[in-house]
């Protein structure tokens, strides 16, 4: 049997991505501190990861935030220094470009091949193996990673050197938050005047307001049975993770002295939504905040 791939982080995204690797017949070792997430993959035939060995040549991580990625890889007990030289390490988490660059440097010191490869496409893309991977690192490492990434995604794009994948991901998610908010506002305005949200969605999908939130992730409950909006905003992409991404985008903009007025407004709105107890709900649930802002008749 081939050397096992180790997969860290089996949540909404990682669980589905790891499942794709198992479906492709790959030998997989997995770890997640949440017992239910871990068990779900063990039940599908993955082996539990216990410790690093010479036989581990590919590591993939899909973790919630900078702190988790830093804790896994860096420091005295970090994974990077335990891995054999030549190991390919692919971090798919959405994290700051600064930490991605730090990881590249540290990995290089240990003779490892590192890629920042955050993804786009949501849980549906993860389940279907149609994710886009936004890669930062050297072209040769992207080529090396291509076979394993192709089991989980359709578009494997090289954004540039170390950290460029993370930069691209933050730009994308800032735009995602903005068009999700715009989609919520437009639907709410139409429905307030008696339009059917499903019909209005179809009309805008075939018009110039067309966007990903409308097409595959409609925020209005009941319009798309498979979307998180129709599951009480359960599953999907947590609002607290969107707030994290907007905060990282804001920090980057500040550091580069670039103005992002809509990104800043989106950050404020998601911060309010999260502070009102919706942190674990899917980010399309921001519709509730928009509707709660309507002045009372
Ligand atoms: P999630 O919270 O569902 O999953 C994260 C998992 O990581 C959890 O199960 C947690 O227990 C685990 N974890 C934390 N520390 C760990 C460690 N040291 N080792 C192993 N596992 C650990 O989050 P998610 O929605 O799967 O998102 C994961 C990443 O993907 C985030 O960076 C997010 O921003 C990004 N992302 C999410 C989506 C989406 O639609 N959910 C889409 C694109 C990108």
């Amino acid at each position: 049997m081939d050397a096992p791939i180790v997969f860290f982080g089996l949540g909404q995204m990682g669980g589905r991505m790891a499942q794709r690797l198992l479906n492709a017949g790959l030998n997989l070792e997995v770890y997640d501190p949440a017992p239910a997430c871990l068990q779900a993959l063990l039940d599908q035939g993955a082996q539990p990861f216990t410790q690093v060995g010479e036989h581990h040549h590919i590591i993939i991580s899909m973790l919630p935030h900078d702190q988790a990625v830093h804790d896994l890889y860096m420091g005295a007990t970090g994974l990077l220094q335990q891995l054999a030289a030549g190991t390919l390490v692919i971090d798919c988490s959405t994290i700051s470009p600064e930490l991605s660059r730090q990881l590249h440097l540290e990995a290089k010191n240990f003779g490892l091949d590192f890629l920042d490869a955050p993804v786009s496409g949501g849980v549906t893309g993860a389940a279907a193996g149609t994710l886009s991977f936004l890669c930062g690192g050297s072209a040769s490492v992207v080529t090396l990673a291509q076979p394993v990434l192709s089991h989980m995604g359709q578009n494997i794009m090289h954004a540039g050197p170390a950290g460029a994948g993370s930069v691209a991901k933050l730009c994308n998610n800032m735009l995602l938050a903005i068009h999700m908010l715009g989609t919520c506002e437009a639907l709410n305005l139409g429905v307030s005047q008696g339009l059917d949200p499903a019909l209005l969605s179809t009309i805008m999908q075939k018009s110039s307001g067309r966007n990903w939130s409308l097409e595959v992730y409609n925020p209005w409950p009941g319009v798309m049975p498979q979307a998180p909006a129709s599951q009480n905003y359960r599953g999907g992409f947590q609002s607290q993770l969107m707030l994290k991404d907007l905060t990282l985008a804001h920090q980057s903009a500040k550091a580069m002295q670039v103005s992002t007025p809509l990104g800043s407004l989106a950050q404020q709105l998601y911060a309010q939504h999260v502070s009102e107890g919706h942190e674990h709900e899917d980010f399309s649930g921001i519709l509730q905040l928009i509707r709660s802002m309507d002045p009372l008749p």
Side-chain angles (χ1 to χ4, degrees):
M1 205 174 220
D2 288 343
I5 295 168
V6 188
F7 205 115
F8 290 93
L10 307 167
Q12 292 291 336
M13 293 297 287
R16 289 171 171 87
M17 292 162 70
Q19 183 66 54
R20 295 280 317 172
L21 298 180
L22 278 180
N23 294 350
L26 299 180
N27 185 6
L28 200 65
E29 291 185 10
V30 293
Y31 175 74
D32 193 298
C37 294
L38 178 62
Q39 194 58 47
L41 267 293
L42 298 184
D43 289 347
Q44 296 302 315
Q47 297 298 311
F49 168 79
T50 47
Q51 60 180 25
V52 176
E54 287 287 321
H55 59 300
H56 290 129
H57 301 307
I58 302 182
I59 307 288
I60 303 175
S61 52
M62 190 49 162
L63 303 179
H65 41 58
D66 276 39
Q67 190 63 55
V69 175
H70 185 278
D71 290 352
L72 175 67
Y73 286 120
M74 310 274 280
T77 55
L79 204 61
L80 291 184
Q81 70 160 3
Q82 299 175 42
L83 294 166
T87 303
L88 170 62
V89 183
I90 308 171
D91 179 44
C92 300
S93 324
T94 306
I95 57 169
S96 66
E98 291 73 24
L99 179 56
S100 291
R101 289 183 199 115
Q102 234 182 311
L103 288 161
H104 273 269
L105 272 182
E106 183 128 337
K108 198 172 171 199
N109 289 340
F110 293 116
L112 311 170
D113 288 322
F114 192 88
L115 211 58
D116 52 300
V119 307
S120 178
V123 289
T124 43
T130 56
L131 292 172
S132 291
F133 284 90
L134 323 178
C135 304
S138 73
S140 61
V141 179
V142 176
T143 304
L144 207 60
Q146 188 101 19
V148 68
L149 296 184
S150 63
H151 292 298
M152 301 179 283
Q154 271 177 347
N155 302 304
I156 296 150
M157 295 175 284
H158 187 197
S166 296
V167 173
K169 175 64 185 167
L170 295 182
C171 296
N172 180 75
N173 273 25
M174 185 178 76
L175 177 58
L176 170 62
I178 292 168
H179 71 60
M180 177 56 80
L181 279 159
T183 300
C184 291
E185 273 189 21
L187 286 172
N188 194 36
L189 179 63
V191 170
S192 74
Q193 293 165 79
L195 268 67
D196 171 51
L199 177 59
L200 177 56
S201 296
T202 305
I203 290 170
M204 294 193 292
Q205 272 176 45
K206 293 183 188 302
S207 307
S208 46
R210 179 180 174 197
N211 69 70
W212 186 89
S213 297
L214 263 180
E215 281 181 351
V216 299
Y217 219 87
N218 198 294
W220 203 278
V223 171
M224 280 181 185
Q226 305 308 324
S230 300
Q231 331 284 332
N232 283 326
Y233 301 108
R234 281 196 302 270
F237 181 38
Q238 296 177 51
S239 295
Q240 63 179 359
L241 294 181
M242 176 53 95
L243 176 58
K244 169 208 61 168
D245 294 357
L246 289 166
T247 305
L248 291 174
H250 179 73
Q251 286 164 355
S252 282
K254 212 169 147 194
M256 301 313 294
Q257 298 192 307
V258 167
S259 106
T260 52
L262 291 179
S264 297
L265 181 56
Q267 187 200 14
Q268 286 166 31
L269 292 169
Y270 272 97
Q272 183 179 342
H273 189 54
V274 163
S275 74
E276 290 175 358
H278 301 279
E279 63 272 30
H280 298 300
E281 288 178 9
D282 181 72
F283 81 111
S284 61
I286 196 77
L287 174 70
Q288 300 160 98
L289 179 70
I290 298 296
R291 297 188 80 187
S292 74
M293 290 171 155
D294 293 345
L296 291 172

